[in-house]
Amino acid sequence: QVQLVESGGGLVQAGDSLRLSCAASGRTLSTDAMGWFRQAPGKERETVAGISSSGARTYYADSVKGRFTISRDNAANAVYLQMNSLKPEDTAVYYCAAVLYTSRAPIGSWGQGTQVTVSS
């Protein structure tokens, strides 16, 4: 079973940027579509972005389109989320997971997440 470790979160000001990383071990991610999710306090976990196994296709939540970019490096067995123009409403714990690309549904295991806090 794959183990996922998210990193790169932190405390930033509105307008700043962060790059999150999701490192996998245990097996290759190269055959999986992958997604980033987030969960804010008191809210349900929501989809942020997803990327096909090859990296050729991506999708984004409307709230992050134009600001966030998902990418992957299959040789490094990693997935990334570049977050620009951060807003206070982006504050959440961010997770990565394998997904079914067409339904955007997460499958498999979750990592521990990485906290992103955006101050106004």
Side-chain angles (χ1 to χ4, degrees):
Q1 189 173 1
V2 66
Q3 288 80 46
L4 301 171
V5 178
E6 300 92 343
S7 62
L11 172 62
V12 297
Q13 293 186 331
D16 286 350
S17 298
L18 282 173
R19 187 187 191 220
L20 305 185
S21 298
C22 170
S25 61
R27 67 169 179 82
T28 180
L29 292 181
S30 63
T31 58
D32 293 330
M34 294 295 295
W36 281 97
F37 300 80
R38 67 186 181 187
Q39 187 167 20
K43 295 187 177 181
E44 293 187 354
R45 193 172 298 185
E46 63 177 356
T47 297
V48 175
I51 188 167
S52 63
S53 58
S54 68
R57 295 178 294 159
T58 59
Y59 58 79
Y60 298 91
D62 287 343
S63 58
V64 307
K65 279 181 183 177
R67 300 188 298 122
F68 291 10
T69 303
I70 188 171
S71 62
R72 65 190 300 159
D73 182 344
N74 284 341
N77 219 26
V79 182
Y80 307 99
L81 186 68
Q82 177 67 43
M83 305 188 297
N84 298 329
S85 303
L86 283 161
K87 302 177 180 180
E89 51 263 43
D90 295 318
T91 295
V93 179
Y94 284 71
Y95 304 86
C96 65
V99 299
L100 296 175
Y101 189 86
T102 52
S103 67
R104 306 185 179 185
I107 56 174
S109 59
W110 296 93
Q112 84 290 346
T114 186
Q115 176 71 50
V116 172
T117 303
V118 184
S119 64
S120 58

